[in-house]
Amino acid sequence: MPIAAAARHTDWIGCIDFGTALSKVAVVKAVARDDLTQDCIRPLPVGLREGFQPRSPFLCPSIVFIHDDRTVFGLEAEADARRGQIRGRQAFASLKQHLSTHSLDELDDPLPEEIDPTGRFTPRAALMLYLAHLLERAGAVAPLTKAPWPVPIRIARPAWDPNRAAAG
């Protein structure tokens, strides 16, 4: 059954902390704040990737690297970005900072050629793909922590001023 059609575990909430350098995901029991205990919080090891050694299994680098024929995320994107520097290539990094420092109108502009040689991606598309990557990783590793999945999702928004927060 496709994940989009699967029933949600509504007694838990998936919480994404979308960070400037690193992001993380936890599944939290949907109870009143005063009733929360350590057993109600299950951090997910979204940093685990076959063939890569994460600094922490619970952190995923907030970085996207766009190749001519594929797009990679996290640890793989970091590795490819290091190799790509020789050819003048850059990764789309510090995603949350990009949201905080660029005009929201710029989200639909094409990414610079050194970041996206294909000319197909905007910052909005790259950000959405990164968040989809985090969700895919969360679903893949949830069974390792016996966390329910799929669950409703919340994304912690940046600490923006009220006008930017409303527009974001």
Side-chain angles (χ1 to χ4, degrees):
M1 172 187 312
I3 191 73
R8 302 277 186 263
H9 295 270
T10 57
D11 51 338
W12 291 81
I13 300 168
C15 301
I16 296 176
D17 181 0
F18 175 46
T20 299
L22 300 162
S23 297
K24 55 189 176 267
V25 181
V27 177
V28 180
K29 188 93 170 133
V31 296
R33 184 177 296 186
D34 293 341
D35 297 333
L36 277 176
T37 66
Q38 282 296 110
D39 293 335
C40 296
I41 303 168
R42 302 221 180 116
L44 300 179
V46 293
L48 292 179
R49 290 285 306 275
E50 189 174 327
F52 294 92
Q53 182 62 43
R55 293 179 286 275
S56 164
F58 299 101
L59 299 173
C60 181
S62 302
I63 184 170
V64 177
F65 192 83
I66 303 167
H67 290 274
D68 292 331
D69 59 347
R70 70 189 189 290
T71 303
V72 295
F73 309 91
L75 290 170
E76 188 174 357
E78 279 186 335
D80 289 357
R82 281 190 295 277
R83 289 188 292 271
Q85 285 179 336
I86 300 166
R87 300 183 326 268
R89 293 293 317 285
Q90 295 178 15
F92 186 40
S94 303
L95 307 178
K96 184 176 174 182
Q97 182 179 7
H98 186 90
L99 282 174
S100 299
T101 59
H102 288 74
S103 163
L104 295 175
D105 295 339
E106 294 177 66
L107 286 176
D108 294 314
D109 292 342
L111 285 168
E113 187 176 353
E114 61 272 10
I115 293 175
D116 175 18
T118 71
R120 295 184 320 215
F121 292 95
T122 63
R124 181 186 312 272
L127 289 161
M128 288 177 17
L129 285 172
Y130 177 76
L131 290 173
H133 170 73
L134 276 181
L135 290 172
E136 181 281 326
R137 296 304 314 137
V141 300
L144 300 175
T145 62
K146 298 184 177 22
W149 197 265
V151 295
I153 300 294
R154 287 188 182 157
I155 301 173
R157 71 169 177 82
W160 289 334
D161 66 65
N163 290 337
R164 188 169 184 99

